Amino acid sequence: MHDIKSIRENPQDFDQALQLRGIYGMSAKILSLDEERRSAILDAETATADQNKAAREIGKAKSSNDENAFKILRDLVSSKKKEVASKSARAKELDQELTNLLMTIPNLPLSDVPVGKDELENVEIFKWGTPPEIKNAKEHFEIAGAKPGMDFETASKLSGSRFVLLRGSIARVHRALSQFMLDIHVTEHDLTETMTPVLVRDEAMYGTNQLPKFAEDSYKTTNGWWLIPTSEVTLTNTVSGRNLSESDLPIRLTAHTLCFRSEAGSAGKDTSGMLRQHQFEKVEMVSITHPDQSLEEHTRMTKCAQAILEKLCLPYRIVVLCTGDMGFGARKTHDLEVWLPGQKKYREISSVSVCGDFQARRMLARFKPTNGGKLKFVHTLNGSGVAVGRCLIAVLENGQNEDGSISLPAALSPYLGDCNRISSTGYLEKKV
RNA sequence: GGAGACGUGGCCGAGUGGUCGAAGGCGCACGCCUGGAAAGUGUGUAGGCGGGAGACCGUCUCGUGGGUUCGAAUCCCACCGUCUCCGCCA
């Protein structure tokens, strides 16, 4: 959420930044509402002050047994009360209206974010590895060694489309990947391992901006919980409502959780295979930082995700999302795209965003500066480290051999009983 | 699920209708004291919103939201949360 004061002070900058996201002339609307709101607050508080003053005098009148004064004052307060009620209702209404408006306006892009309208205008800034030469490269669900372990029919019988059931060696590699990622983040990147709920209340979803605007993207239980679409929700909201010490920062967290997404609006996209599912696993990273350190942290977090792909020998590139393709809460986003030989394309496997104080404001997450001074909002960052299902796809496709067997990255073998291969018939093997 | 207790400032804790944003303590900050420190001692020490050039003023906040009352931390209702006992259970 945006700071009304900074919009007041700098409406041009605000409009200019939002324009890059295709939103025009927003400040005028906000400021006129704000002005109306402030005068309503002044009205209401003036009336309240009058009422309070009279009420305090009643106390004195009572204690000096001045019955006459008591009666007069009581009637005065009584009449003021009606005035206060209507005026403060109006003030509250306008305040709510302003909040509602501010809640639906996306974050401002940083000045170095490329301007563009959609993913075609994202800018590649880094490339690692060389896409392997594979004759007749197949997609993951077509590879002989993967097929027995990837059962879409049974999953759809149980749950419908966009679900998969993994079995045997593929299920084990999937599990190995998540363990591997967590271990690296904990032992090499100094992130704190966290196990979080996947069912959350409204407030948490507001904090990380899934609500109020994107309710249709997530699932809600009959008793009002939301299934998290990412553990960004739970990890980031761990600091909601808190006044931290500056020395607590940065807080670096990671979690491996299930994620649930309705994929409303993506009908027809990525319908085959397990690239886009209603339910998937993801290892997430979240950092809570001092405002001066969030940009540095953005680089650090991106490197944490890069390290995973590099250790798994998966070719990838990094793109900076353009203004039109960035998510609602982000000021700048690095997408890591992994090479998928079956599609002959780079596909998103991680998205690392710096949100500034946008989420902190919604969550009321602040810290007390060490050298005194007022509470300040923290900065938040989140990134995938990385999507487990998609990583499985990348491992299978990049490791596929012409005979349908799959070579697995050495980094995984400690998690696979030293195996480094899946045979063309779908069994884990140890080959020297 | 049944029964009960409770929710006050950074922390502990007093306050059961009147000037209470709230005693006292701890912690913290700054001073005094000291050769230096400890001890002692003095002062200060929440946040949001609004007004004001500023000093400062107003308003709201004692889990959250409503209500009663001239007046609520204190009474009533709902919700959220914590704890204890019983039951059930991975």
Side-chain angles (χ1 to χ4, degrees):
Chain A
M1 191 163 72
H2 293 287
D3 179 15
I4 182 65
K5 283 180 191 157
S6 78
I7 299 175
R8 230 183 265 154
E9 281 161 22
N10 250 322
Q12 301 86 350
D13 292 359
F14 182 76
D15 281 337
Q16 209 160 19
L18 276 184
Q19 200 178 315
L20 303 174
R21 289 206 185 230
I23 297 171
Y24 299 90
M26 197 42 118
S27 70
K29 193 174 168 188
I30 294 171
L31 291 180
S32 81
L33 184 55
D34 179 47
E35 215 154 289
E36 223 184 317
R37 161 183 159 269
R38 284 191 294 165
S39 88
I41 289 174
L42 192 58
D43 273 4
E45 290 190 351
T46 309
T48 309
D50 291 348
Q51 184 195 328
N52 286 347
K53 199 174 153 206
R56 272 192 294 268
E57 277 163 18
I58 286 184
K60 288 184 204 145
K62 258 285 191 202
S63 51
S64 60
N65 275 321
D66 188 342
E67 267 307 306
N68 208 31
F70 173 74
K71 278 184 186 145
I72 293 167
L73 285 166
R74 194 185 53 191
D75 293 347
L76 175 64
V77 172
S78 199
S79 72
K80 270 286 165 195
K81 221 181 145 182
K82 289 191 192 89
E83 188 188 336
V84 167
S86 74
K87 285 185 171 170
S88 50
R90 178 70 184 144
K92 202 170 171 184
E93 193 184 302
L94 287 166
D95 193 58
Q96 192 58 52
E97 211 175 302
L98 181 64
T99 305
N100 290 347
L101 178 59
L102 290 174
M103 279 287 223
T104 58
I105 299 169
N107 206 349
L108 308 180
L110 291 176
S111 57
D112 62 342
V113 170
V115 176
K117 61 177 188 307
D118 57 30
E119 71 273 10
L120 297 173
E121 297 183 68
N122 295 342
V123 176
E124 180 182 303
I125 55 166
F126 182 78
K127 210 169 198 169
W128 186 89
T130 317
E133 298 284 333
I134 301 171
K135 236 183 251 171
N136 303 318
K138 292 183 159 58
E139 293 209 57
H140 58 285
F141 51 90
E142 302 167 324
I143 303 168
K147 272 175 149 181
M150 227 175 249
D151 185 347
F152 294 96
E153 288 71 36
T154 302
S156 91
K157 176 178 75 180
L158 297 170
S159 309
S161 65
R162 293 206 189 282
F163 289 92
V164 68
L165 185 148
L166 302 181
R167 195 184 276 123
S169 58
I170 301 297
R172 188 168 179 195
V173 172
H174 185 256
R175 173 165 59 91
L177 280 168
S178 60
Q179 299 302 311
F180 161 73
M181 291 178 205
L182 271 183
D183 282 348
I184 297 298
H185 290 322
V186 169
T187 61
E188 295 183 20
H189 301 154
D190 200 27
L191 312 186
T192 303
E193 181 169 356
T194 314
M195 197 292 291
T196 83
V198 298
L199 293 170
V200 299
R201 295 219 173 95
D202 288 359
E203 295 89 275
M205 295 286 274
Y206 276 100
T208 34
N209 33 264
Q210 282 73 27
L211 291 177
K213 233 187 156 179
F214 307 103
E216 66 285 352
D217 292 341
S218 293
Y219 294 110
K220 196 175 187 180
T221 68
T222 51
N223 55 356
W225 281 317
W226 294 89
L227 285 134
I228 58 171
T230 159
S231 49
E232 170 200 346
V233 176
T234 44
L235 292 176
T236 307
N237 277 285
T238 53
V239 295
S240 73
R242 294 201 45 200
N243 294 165
L244 301 159
S245 303
E246 184 171 338
S247 58
D248 293 334
L249 305 176
I251 298 171
R252 300 188 171 114
L253 306 171
T254 184
H256 165 228
T257 69
L258 283 166
C259 303
F260 303 90
R261 298 189 183 176
S262 72
E263 293 300 339
S266 55
K269 236 191 247 174
D270 304 316
T271 46
S272 44
M274 57 175 290
L275 194 69
R276 190 178 297 276
Q277 307 269 283
H278 288 306
Q279 171 195 324
F280 60 96
E281 290 182 26
K282 185 154 62 73
V283 171
E284 181 75 0
M285 307 175 284
V286 159
S287 292
I288 313 295
T289 73
H290 188 285
D292 295 343
Q293 282 157 9
S294 59
L295 292 182
E296 223 176 291
E297 186 72 7
H298 192 214
T299 304
R300 183 188 195 274
M301 187 179 274
T302 305
K303 282 187 176 150
C304 292
Q306 285 176 255
I308 298 297
L309 298 183
E310 290 176 16
K311 283 173 194 286
L312 293 172
C313 306
L314 299 171
Y316 70 92
R317 61 174 196 163
I318 303 179
V319 298
V320 179
L321 297 193
C322 72
T323 53
D325 199 30
M326 268 201 308
F328 186 83
R331 298 208 69 189
K332 185 177 183 181
T333 299
H334 293 150
D335 267 14
L336 273 65
E337 298 182 340
V338 71
W339 176 257
L340 293 188
Q343 297 193 356
K344 296 191 170 49
K345 273 185 201 157
Y346 284 100
R347 295 297 307 255
E348 178 188 340
I349 192 166
S350 169
S351 193
V352 184
S353 300
V354 55
C355 301
D357 63 7
F358 190 78
Q359 297 180 324
R361 237 170 243 294
R362 294 173 162 242
M363 298 189 300
L364 279 183
R366 294 173 291 184
F367 72 96
K368 191 108 188 158
T370 309
N371 56 8
K374 297 189 89 176
L375 289 167
K376 286 184 177 162
F377 287 105
V378 298
H379 279 196
T380 62
L381 299 98
N382 64 80
S384 348
V386 300
V388 181
R390 287 190 177 183
C391 195
L392 174 70
I393 293 174
V395 164
L396 298 177
E397 291 198 11
N398 282 282
Q400 65 180 300
N401 302 308
E402 270 184 69
D403 64 356
S405 66
I406 300 159
S407 305
L408 298 170
L412 287 184
S413 55
Y415 300 89
L416 298 171
D418 287 336
C419 292
N420 53 14
R421 222 175 96 98
I422 297 174
S423 73
S424 59
T425 50
Y427 293 98
L428 277 169
E429 304 176 323
K430 199 188 296 188
K431 268 230 165 136
V432 196

